[in-house]
């Protein structure tokens, strides 16, 4: 079974410790705000990274738990 969590900052903070993998899209903009994705714990390793260029440039990254 696969479960995807799409939340806000607090939901991510509460659930990141039970995740086996993180699928992260990082949008190349300077955002203004107070809530951001939590720091990725050191128990995760980046296994894939791909950059995309379009009207909004972004990077897709896949992290797996060690």
């Amino acid at each position: 079974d696969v479960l995807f969590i799409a939340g806000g900052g607090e939901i991510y903070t509460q659930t990141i410790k039970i995740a086996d993998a993180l699928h992260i899209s990082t949008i190349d903009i300077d955002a203004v705000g107070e809530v951001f994705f939590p720091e990725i714990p050191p128990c995760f390793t980046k296994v894939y990274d791909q950059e995309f260029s379009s009207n909004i440039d972004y990077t897709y990254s896949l992290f797996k738990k060690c």
Side-chain angles (χ1 to χ4, degrees), residues 2 13 18 20 24 31 37 39-42 44 50 55 59:
V2 177
T13 299
I18 63 170
D20 295 321
I24 308 286
F37 193 83
E39 185 174 327
I40 297 173
F44 285 92
Q50 184 174 359
N55 59 327
T59 303

Side-chain angles (χ1 to χ4, degrees), residues 2 5 10 36 55 59 61:
V2 177
I5 297 171
E10 187 60 32
F36 296 91
N55 59 327
T59 303
S61 303

